[in-house]
Amino acid sequence: MKSRFESELIALLPQLRRFALSLCRSGDVADDLVQITAERAFAARETFDPASRLGPWLFRILCNAWLDQLRRRRTAGVQLEAEELEQALAVDGAAAAEASLTLRSVDEAMKTLSEDHRSILHLVCIEELSYAEAAEVLGVPKGTVMSRLARARIALAERLGMK
Amino acid sequence: MAEPHPEDERLMAYVDGELPAGEAEAVRRALETDAALAARVALFERTRDALRTSSGASIPPVTDSLLERVRAAGSAAARENVVTFARPAKAGSSRGWMPSAIAACLALVVGGALGFGLAERGPSQPVLGGPVSDPQWRSALDQLPSGESRDVEGGRLTAVSSFRDADGRLCREFGHRISTGRGSLAVLCRNDKDWRITFQMDVAAASDEDYRAASSHEALDAFLAATKAGAPLSKAEEGEALRAAR
């Protein structure tokens, strides 16, 4: 006999998996992340306020689970090649914009963004969370969400060659 | 276009419908006459639209195996008929769902109950809360890149990761192997000129690898989550931070 909490959680699995994929970009790791999220959600379900939205609550658990995964990587440098790539592209922005480095595809562009930028863009522009909800999910102030989001969108615009 | 515009956040909030009605109206009027502002608004609109239609927005199918695993987790939780340790949220509490592993862990950190018995602790091993005075430890903290190990008197140190805590202080996770099968994991944070231990636990680790490939360090994870530790720094960021701190 399934509880309502469980039914709603299962209904949100596709969105959870989509968010997980945006973070880790590997189907298997994403599935593991979603499973860990579900386990922790079931363990903590009494602390969920049923008047609030289940989606953002689960996203927050997923974010923390992802941070835990990152901490267990063998070396510190493994997971952040994207950040280094983003910095490398930023060094010569003018040349990059007009030369063949302009990335036409949004997906290609997203891959070169840092994880902070990717996750904030996903939460607000794809999951359509409000700034306040995104702040709750990430555990940062709303002001941080706004400044990070603005920088992320500008970085994305640059990659896409928008003027 | 790479230059940030002073109005960026406000214009973006306008595009995202996050401005109160009065402010939104003011922006709308300004757009009628200011082409530069309008171009900036267009940038935020176009990036938002681009993301909505990207493949990252398409909903991937959930595999049967994942669905099964989640259902199994749900059934297991229902069978246990108990919510593992978690306390119900109080109205207005902003940390409503903090798992109790964290509460237990914080108690241990404060009480200093973890770690080796004092009799076994050599004079050079740091004590919870105190500044690290041993020069070999300090040298490793200041210089050893994450992922590497170094022998010191009294054991072998492994640098696991570096990160910033909620206050922006530089912190490092280190493993300390005393002998085969005995060691500890510690989190040390930098305060002005000192490194201080903020977390410590015994681990049974056979090799340096075990500190990095921790199979279950729930207490450590809970501590890091509760204290809102940041994500691990990249090699470049870590190098910079360590140089700046010296």
Side-chain angles (χ1 to χ4, degrees):
Chain A
M1 190 178 67
K2 238 181 346 181
S3 68
R4 188 169 147 215
F5 180 87
E6 185 176 336
S7 306
E8 288 183 16
L9 188 152
I10 287 181
L12 285 166
L13 282 183
Q15 264 146 295
L16 283 174
R17 189 157 188 276
R18 180 173 70 172
F19 183 38
L21 275 172
S22 83
L23 291 174
C24 62
R25 302 199 303 255
S26 149
D28 289 341
V29 178
D31 279 359
D32 285 347
L33 209 48
V34 172
Q35 185 188 342
I36 290 169
T37 300
E39 284 166 2
R40 291 186 185 179
F42 285 126
R45 61 173 286 191
E46 291 298 313
T47 68
F48 170 65
D49 172 9
S52 65
R53 291 217 292 155
L54 185 57
W57 189 78
L58 292 173
F59 285 143
R60 179 166 189 180
I61 297 178
L62 201 154
C63 263
N64 285 331
W66 175 233
L67 275 183
D68 291 346
Q69 293 276 331
L70 287 180
R71 285 187 201 104
R72 288 181 183 159
R73 299 290 182 104
R74 284 175 174 266
T75 62
V78 161
Q79 76 280 9
L80 294 168
E81 303 114 351
E83 268 188 17
E84 285 155 11
L85 179 55
E86 182 174 12
Q87 278 156 24
L89 284 173
V91 162
D92 197 2
E98 69 191 17
S100 57
L101 286 175
T102 299
L103 298 158
R104 308 221 172 265
S105 146
V106 177
D107 308 306
E108 286 300 308
M110 283 287 264
K111 283 180 195 163
T112 67
L113 295 180
S114 71
E115 180 162 308
D116 275 355
H117 284 178
R118 273 205 321 275
S119 62
I120 194 73
L121 287 173
H122 189 97
L123 289 173
V124 176
C125 298
I126 293 179
E127 293 299 336
E128 314 235 328
L129 298 187
S130 68
Y131 294 171
E133 284 172 335
E136 277 294 312
V137 169
L138 296 170
V140 298
K142 184 172 158 181
T144 302
V145 165
M146 292 179 70
S147 59
R148 199 181 283 181
L149 183 64
R151 280 199 297 272
R153 265 148 107 164
I154 290 167
L156 180 66
E158 237 167 71
R159 303 290 191 279
L160 296 174
M162 288 183 186
K163 297 213 192 302
Chain B
M1 204 216 61
E3 303 294 312
H5 188 288
E7 290 288 306
D8 272 347
E9 286 176 29
R10 198 154 156 255
L11 298 175
M12 181 184 74
Y14 168 78
V15 166
D16 293 343
E18 292 265 351
L19 285 184
E23 277 191 63
E25 179 57 25
V27 171
R28 197 193 59 74
R29 274 200 305 270
L31 289 179
E32 283 170 2
T33 52
D34 190 332
L37 273 187
R40 209 67 184 161
V41 160
L43 181 155
F44 289 116
E45 280 173 345
R46 289 168 66 196
T47 48
R48 192 184 170 111
D49 292 342
L51 285 162
R52 273 192 187 145
T53 56
S54 70
S55 76
S58 67
I59 307 236
V62 172
T63 56
D64 287 341
S65 89
L66 177 59
L67 189 52
E68 269 318 300
R69 281 150 72 181
V70 170
R71 285 215 172 103
S75 305
R79 268 199 309 275
E80 276 169 30
N81 200 34
V82 80
V83 177
T84 327
F85 313 123
R87 300 196 184 94
K90 298 198 179 98
S93 158
S94 64
R95 303 225 271 166
W97 73 279
M98 186 166 70
S100 78
I102 294 170
C105 175
L106 288 175
L108 287 168
V109 168
V110 166
L114 281 178
F116 301 117
L118 283 174
E120 297 178 280
R121 185 183 300 286
S124 61
Q125 290 177 41
V127 174
L128 186 69
V132 174
S133 55
D134 181 284
Q136 290 190 315
W137 278 76
R138 288 191 65 144
S139 164
L141 284 159
D142 286 339
Q143 296 162 13
L144 191 64
S146 290
E148 291 184 23
S149 299
R150 177 190 291 183
D151 285 320
V152 296
E153 194 183 321
R156 187 164 171 81
L157 292 175
T158 300
V160 178
S161 76
S162 297
F163 59 91
R164 293 206 178 269
D165 68 8
D167 299 317
R169 287 187 309 174
L170 178 63
C171 298
R172 305 201 69 187
E173 188 188 327
F174 262 68
H176 178 217
R177 183 158 57 90
I178 309 279
S179 60
T180 302
R182 276 183 57 211
S184 66
L185 264 182
V187 174
L188 304 100
C189 295
R190 189 154 174 100
N191 221 338
D192 284 340
K193 296 192 171 46
D194 285 328
W195 291 96
R196 286 172 191 264
I197 299 186
T198 59
F199 175 91
Q200 187 175 333
M201 64 181 282
D202 293 354
V203 295
S207 72
D208 299 334
E209 294 296 294
D210 289 347
Y211 292 108
R212 297 196 295 270
S215 55
S216 77
H217 287 147
E218 282 195 20
L220 173 59
D221 287 345
F223 171 78
L224 294 173
T227 57
K228 295 193 196 287
L233 302 181
S234 68
K235 270 198 142 26
E237 286 172 329
E238 179 185 75
E240 250 183 68
L242 290 177
R243 274 190 297 275
R246 283 205 282 273

